[in-house]
Amino acid sequence: MLHLFYLLLKHFGPQHWWPAQSPFEVMVGAVLTQNTAWKNVEQAIANLREAGVLDPRALFSVSSQVLEELIRPAGFYRVKAARLRSLVEYILDRYGGEVELMAREPGWLLRKELLSIHGIGEETADSILLYALDKPFFVVDTYTRRILTRQGVIKGREPYSEIQRLFMESLPADVELYKEYHALLVELGKRYCKTRSPLCLECPLYLEVGCG
DNA sequence: CACCAGGCAAGTA
DNA sequence: TACTTGCATGGT
């Protein structure tokens, strides 16, 4: 697993994810990017910033209809508005809206709490834990699954937890490593492993490790 | 025109 | 546990 990381790092260079100005913005982005191109999320976040609602209290204070219009470019805007509300409500109730306070809790506890929020599944929870709160949880997304399947490392139908364990049990629990690794997998996936084409001859790893 | 994007929940068997 | 469907905009 580390070998693949160094291969990707050498080829693509550091990705310095996640683009955001605050941990809360990362959380919002994590929800908005669910099954959605990041480009669309950028516009939605820009709208939220212009409206001055990129903090828990302000976001909770706007009406659902206004919120929906602000995030419309990110798609699924009705369900996502409700999901953002659920997330923000949790941060306000449990931590008084203070993300810094939240970040002091142990990761295993936060993960359990995040997963209990309606609209936050495993990938979104881990994205928040890793990129917003600096907790060492590896993020498994569709690209990760696709790339590992093509590498022959997994069969493809394994549950999320199993794939996550594969990384976390073979890598040191290093936040920066996890951040960079996931970002690199997404970069590889976006550029060379789109759709279900069985071969990707353009793939830089094709010759080196047989990314077919 | 079809297909995809940094998922999740609810329903069905 | 393992599929299937709805959610929706914007880019290729």
Side-chain angles (χ1 to χ4, degrees):
Chain A
M1 287 287 115
L2 252 186
H3 173 61
L4 176 57
F5 170 73
Y6 286 125
L7 218 51
L8 291 169
L9 184 62
K10 185 173 67 176
H11 195 273
F12 293 111
Q15 302 296 303
H16 37 265
W17 262 22
W18 183 300
Q21 296 178 14
S22 72
F24 182 70
E25 186 179 325
V26 174
M27 299 188 202
V28 171
V31 169
L32 293 180
T33 198
Q34 289 170 357
N35 199 41
T36 300
W38 182 254
K39 192 65 185 255
N40 294 1
V41 177
E42 285 182 322
Q43 184 56 53
I45 290 181
N47 292 346
L48 294 173
R49 179 173 288 112
E50 278 188 59
V53 294
L54 269 182
D55 73 87
R57 289 182 199 289
L59 194 56
F60 192 73
S61 71
V62 298
S63 71
S64 294
Q65 296 190 4
V66 168
L67 182 55
E68 287 175 7
E69 289 310 309
L70 291 172
I71 68 172
R72 180 186 279 273
F76 303 124
Y77 59 89
R78 278 185 289 237
V79 292
K80 284 177 180 176
R83 288 173 183 183
L84 287 178
R85 272 202 173 290
S86 300
L87 172 62
V88 164
E89 185 177 30
Y90 154 74
I91 297 174
L92 290 173
D93 288 354
R94 187 79 174 77
Y95 299 105
E98 300 299 323
V99 175
E100 287 302 323
L101 183 62
M102 179 180 175
R104 293 191 196 116
E105 296 288 324
W108 60 268
L109 176 63
L110 290 170
R111 192 172 199 273
K112 180 176 290 188
E113 290 182 356
L114 287 169
L115 289 177
S116 73
I117 300 171
H118 190 87
I120 295 190
E122 297 195 275
E123 186 190 335
T124 306
D126 288 330
S127 295
I128 289 172
L129 289 166
L130 182 63
Y131 291 101
L133 304 174
D134 287 326
K135 306 295 181 183
F137 288 84
F138 203 90
V139 178
V140 178
D141 75 326
T142 56
Y143 287 131
T144 308
R145 186 182 294 271
R146 201 177 289 167
I147 291 166
L148 257 50
T149 302
R150 293 185 189 182
Q151 294 292 330
V153 176
I154 62 176
K155 300 191 68 175
R157 311 284 174 174
E158 291 83 353
Y160 183 101
S161 59
E162 190 172 324
I163 299 175
Q164 183 183 47
R165 192 167 29 132
L166 182 62
F167 283 96
M168 295 181 65
E169 287 186 352
S170 59
L171 297 173
D174 185 318
V175 168
E176 294 310 312
L177 171 63
Y178 286 6
K179 285 183 179 179
E180 208 45 56
Y181 204 159
H182 171 65
L184 285 165
L185 285 170
V186 172
E187 183 60 20
L188 175 66
K190 283 206 300 209
R191 298 179 56 164
Y192 300 105
C193 298
K194 288 246 181 196
T195 71
R196 66 219 170 278
S197 60
L199 291 177
C200 44
L201 298 176
E202 315 283 334
C203 176
L205 301 185
Y206 184 75
L207 296 176
E208 302 196 58
V209 292
C211 173

